Amino acid sequence: AQSVTQLDSHVSVSEGTPVLLRCNYSSSYSPSLFWYVQHPNKGLQLLLKYTSAATLVKGINGFEAEFKKSETSFHLTKPSAHMSDAAEYFCVVSFYNQGGKLIFGQGTELSVKP
Amino acid sequence: GAGVSQTPSNKVTEKGKYVELRCDPISGHTALYWYRQSLGQGPEFLIYFQGTGAADDSGLPNDRFFAVRPEGSVSTLKIQRTERGDSAVYLCASRSSGTHIGTGELFFGEGSRLTVL
């Protein structure tokens, strides 16, 4: 079965310092992996996606993620956090053979301190 | 429309009542999904439509939940005999038919927050 595990429920960083949000996946197939962000009272927005092309994926707002098959990981990083990055982040795997159904992780809340 | 629209944004009801939640997807998107997000949790899949038909309803928790999409556009999620445990944010998403089903981005609405007293 396909699933994702986000290793941290909450991450706190200072503005200007690097961000690391960890995600491990389990999949019987070659996965499609995504990171979505959810700001308070806003809809979910796609940050980036991996679909078996380049293993280092760049997304919006300076975020990137690296697909590591040997480690079954898809960690999200950003070199320098901004106050506006404070939000809930979801790692997601796609059920490509079932209509593109997305399976979400539990989420990581990112706090950014001034 | 410009994005996925969901109404109402907030709904408060009493236990045992019937509720309808509406989703208007992005124009031209043939695939439509419903998810439920409980407090502190990630969204959980409920049902997926391709056109007018439910292609996968494996996430519906029980027979009190039902969804329709009669004309392949707007969808309505219907909950009968609501229970306090149904309280959650119900999210709708759509995907363009031009994108691969496994890799195409889902566009989400802002959700309908249901509170059952």
Side-chain angles (χ1 to χ4, degrees):
Chain A
Q2 299 189 49
S3 65
V4 289
T5 301
Q6 293 184 244
L7 302 176
D8 306 291
S9 58
H10 185 258
V11 170
S12 181
V13 301
S14 296
E15 191 174 22
T17 64
V19 175
L20 170 63
L21 305 183
R22 299 182 294 165
C23 172
N24 286 104
Y25 69 90
S26 171
S27 175
S28 303
Y29 310 94
S30 295
S32 291
L33 293 160
F34 308 77
W35 277 96
Y36 277 79
V37 61
Q38 187 175 39
H39 287 91
N41 300 316
K42 297 290 185 183
L44 285 155
Q45 180 185 19
L46 180 69
L47 269 181
L48 49 81
K49 65 180 181 182
Y50 165 76
T51 58
S52 76
T55 56
L56 182 62
V57 181
K58 293 188 183 298
I60 61 173
N61 300 333
F63 284 93
E64 61 182 39
E66 186 172 7
F67 173 69
K68 292 186 176 180
K69 187 174 181 179
S70 61
E71 299 177 9
T72 62
S73 69
F74 190 57
H75 300 335
L76 181 70
T77 61
K78 182 174 180 178
S80 176
H82 190 273
M83 295 297 291
S84 62
D85 294 328
E88 188 86 17
Y89 291 80
F90 294 97
C91 183
V92 183
V93 65
S94 173
F95 252 111
Y96 76 95
N97 60 335
Q98 292 189 23
K101 180 169 66 177
L102 302 183
I103 303 299
F104 282 77
Q106 293 298 300
T108 298
E109 182 182 359
L110 175 65
S111 299
V112 182
K113 298 174 291 186
Chain B
V4 177
S5 176
Q6 292 188 245
T7 55
S9 56
N10 276 286
K11 175 70 176 178
V12 180
T13 191
E14 294 179 343
K15 180 176 178 294
K17 298 291 188 182
Y18 170 80
V19 166
E20 288 191 352
L21 306 176
R22 174 189 166 106
C23 173
D24 197 345
I26 293 173
S27 179
H29 281 195
T30 57
L32 184 147
Y33 301 76
W34 282 99
Y35 282 79
R36 179 170 70 174
Q37 186 174 19
S38 300
L39 191 63
Q41 303 293 317
E44 295 177 294
F45 170 79
L46 294 177
I47 186 169
Y48 152 59
F49 287 90
Q50 182 59 47
T52 60
D56 183 351
D57 64 358
S58 61
L60 295 177
N62 51 60
D63 61 5
R64 294 187 298 105
F65 287 75
F66 190 71
V68 295
R69 196 186 184 197
E71 298 179 357
S73 164
V74 171
S75 176
T76 304
L77 178 65
K78 307 182 180 193
I79 310 174
Q80 298 178 320
R81 305 183 305 280
T82 52
E83 300 177 356
R84 293 192 180 87
D86 298 335
S87 296
V89 176
Y90 289 82
L91 299 169
C92 178
S94 66
R95 175 175 51 78
S96 170
S97 60
T99 58
H100 189 278
I101 60 172
T103 60
E105 175 182 358
L106 294 194
F107 293 84
F108 284 84
E110 294 189 6
S112 292
R113 182 179 298 277
L114 175 65
T115 302
V116 182
L117 302 178

